[in-house]
Amino acid sequence: MRTICVVTATRAEYGLLRPVVQKLAASPALRLQLVATGAHLCPRLGETVREIEADGVPIAARLPIFIGDENEPVAVAIARTLTVFDAYFAAHRPDAVLLLGDRFEIFAVATAAAARHIPIAHISGGDVTLGAADEYYRHCITKMAAVHFPSCADSAARLVRMGEAPETVFCVGGLGDENIRTLPKMSREELCTSTGLPLQQPFALVTYHPETSADAGSPAAQSEALCRAMATVPGVYWLITGSNADAGGQICTARMQRFAAEHPDRAGFIQSLGLRRYLSAMQYAALVAGNSSSGVVETPTFKVPTVNIGQRQAGRAICANVLCCAAEEPAIEAALRRALTPAFAAIAATAQSPYGGGDTSGKICTVLANFDFTKPKQFYDGPVPEFDPQRSVLV
């Protein structure tokens, strides 16, 4: 049996990885080695390892990498993560490491694996997010990875243009799209009871993270602009979730908490909804707002009106249900008001997600069981073929 080490560092990442983790745990051909790290083990970020525990999946290791100082330089956190995971891989060497996405923690894990010549399988390579440092972390992971699972045809083609051989690129579709289609959702009444918030009325689901590119604006100014805009838009309740572990995340979270406290009849704050509550909230929401990747990647499946703020997701495919605006109060207010109109709801209903791939997690597990990880990686200079996520093979 091949041992596949799956590393997860954030609530959003685990939510996407969940069906893959479950299939790996049940596979007769693969042995799961699940490692929780990063925000999962951090109390100030919701200690979301409890969501993994609730799923009943065995956790092979819990490896803390944060010291509690949100202002710690990213390079220092990367160095610590490298050291921690190098020691872990030395003692518990898997046959391959499965990683999702583009965060600095995952970049450090990939670097530790690559340094020990452990093959890397990478989910969601080839995406573009110009407003976040995730952009170059993601592409660095791509160049270290042996096999790739992009979420859409555009990303698959981009990987080949980056020199990845077509036979190593499996266009499997998006795990978020699979979760939306397969995970049982709460009823609206269950969602209200679970959150303790009055969500029978029209509500907006809001998640705002700091931008992390070199020319990023101030997290304090941008979250302030969002709060001021929300305060002026009537007719909707604001369901707000906490920000992530990026520098400035605590600033955004604190401002959102203050907004909820200042408007108790119009807003509620929950640090982490967890996957089932989050997707259930997205299903019933009149509006999704902020700058989370889920706002542009997952909302098209629900066809929910969405406002994507600022540059964090710049470069991703934008569907008909998404309005993009600058991270400034007048632009945010105008976009929120337009997104809540019946006219835009009709436009959002026409959205077609490019991320549909069917049994995405099953396809990933099949490839992991059969891929030849011993084959040396070579730079590919040939033509770019067409990809079809529904077939997960070259056309």
Side-chain angles (χ1 to χ4, degrees):
M1 294 177 69
R2 279 183 171 173
T3 297
I4 306 297
C5 179
V6 181
V7 180
T8 175
T10 72
R11 66 190 184 194
E13 174 192 77
Y14 175 70
L16 294 172
L17 284 169
R18 186 173 179 266
V20 182
V21 167
Q22 291 176 334
K23 284 187 171 69
L24 285 173
S27 172
L30 299 165
R31 181 184 294 109
L32 172 65
Q33 184 185 91
L34 181 61
V35 177
T37 189
H40 284 309
L41 308 178
C42 190
R44 69 179 172 85
L45 296 170
E47 210 166 11
T48 48
V49 69
R50 290 175 292 187
E51 295 172 20
I52 305 175
E53 294 169 344
D55 283 340
V57 180
I59 300 173
R62 303 166 192 238
L63 304 181
I65 56 172
F66 294 151
I67 61 172
D69 178 8
E70 74 145 332
N71 296 314
E72 179 181 60
V74 171
V76 175
I78 288 175
R80 183 183 303 110
T81 306
L82 252 171
T83 301
V84 167
F85 275 87
D86 178 70
Y88 180 78
F89 289 143
H92 307 278
R93 184 183 181 92
D95 294 297
V97 178
L98 179 65
L99 303 174
L100 185 148
D102 43 33
R103 291 187 52 79
F104 67 87
E105 307 99 305
I106 298 304
F107 163 74
V109 174
T111 304
R116 288 197 172 269
H117 305 290
I118 300 172
I120 296 166
H122 186 208
I123 300 172
S124 292
D127 291 352
V128 174
T129 51
L130 301 177
D134 300 354
E135 169 77 0
Y136 49 81
Y137 292 135
R138 182 189 311 109
H139 297 327
C140 287
I141 297 169
T142 287
K143 299 316 296 181
M144 291 186 277
V147 62
H148 312 274
F149 301 111
S151 60
C152 65
D154 285 349
S155 293
R158 189 173 292 115
L159 288 172
V160 177
R161 291 198 298 272
M162 290 172 63
E164 301 306 301
E167 62 269 22
T168 70
V169 178
F170 297 85
C171 190
V172 294
L175 286 166
D177 179 83
E178 179 184 357
N179 276 335
I180 290 169
R181 288 183 288 99
T182 61
L183 186 72
K185 317 296 188 303
M186 293 178 168
S187 69
R188 194 156 184 152
E189 183 178 356
E190 287 175 322
L191 182 64
C192 292
T193 302
S194 176
T195 60
L197 298 174
L199 302 180
Q200 293 288 6
Q201 61 188 306
F203 70 90
L205 177 60
V206 181
T207 304
Y208 194 80
H209 303 303
E211 295 182 4
T212 55
S213 61
D215 57 349
S218 159
Q222 292 178 347
S223 55
E224 179 66 26
L226 173 56
C227 288
R228 288 180 177 275
M230 289 192 295
T232 66
V233 177
V236 66
Y237 184 89
W238 304 99
L239 170 58
I240 308 169
T241 69
S243 189
N244 62 15
D246 287 338
Q250 281 295 95
I251 294 173
C252 296
T253 292
R255 183 61 186 95
M256 296 300 162
Q257 289 173 318
R258 182 156 60 89
F259 178 86
E262 292 169 346
H263 302 84
D265 296 330
R266 294 194 56 210
F269 177 90
I270 295 178
Q271 177 64 41
S272 176
L273 286 169
L275 178 63
R276 186 168 178 240
R277 287 198 302 183
Y278 185 78
L279 292 183
S280 299
M282 189 178 288
Q283 174 173 273
Y284 300 119
L287 167 69
V288 172
N291 62 0
S292 168
S293 60
S294 64
V296 295
V297 173
E298 295 172 31
T299 62
T301 301
F302 282 119
K303 302 181 185 299
V304 59
T306 299
V307 173
N308 174 52
I309 301 168
Q311 295 299 304
R312 187 177 175 93
Q313 302 303 328
R316 288 195 189 273
I318 301 298
C319 295
N321 67 304
V322 180
L323 289 172
C324 294
C325 69
E328 300 167 356
E329 182 183 344
I332 298 171
E333 180 184 349
L336 293 175
R337 289 180 180 275
R338 183 185 172 201
L340 287 167
T341 63
F344 188 76
I347 294 172
T350 69
Q352 296 295 318
S353 174
Y355 301 102
D359 181 20
T360 296
S361 59
K363 292 173 181 177
I364 290 173
C365 289
T366 297
V367 173
L368 291 174
N370 295 285
F371 188 80
D372 183 3
F373 285 110
T374 66
K375 190 175 181 179
K377 179 169 179 171
Q378 295 181 337
F379 196 94
Y380 174 78
D381 278 317
V384 179
E386 294 183 17
F387 290 89
D388 182 354
Q390 295 298 330
R391 293 176 59 196
S392 187
V393 295
L394 301 183
V395 175

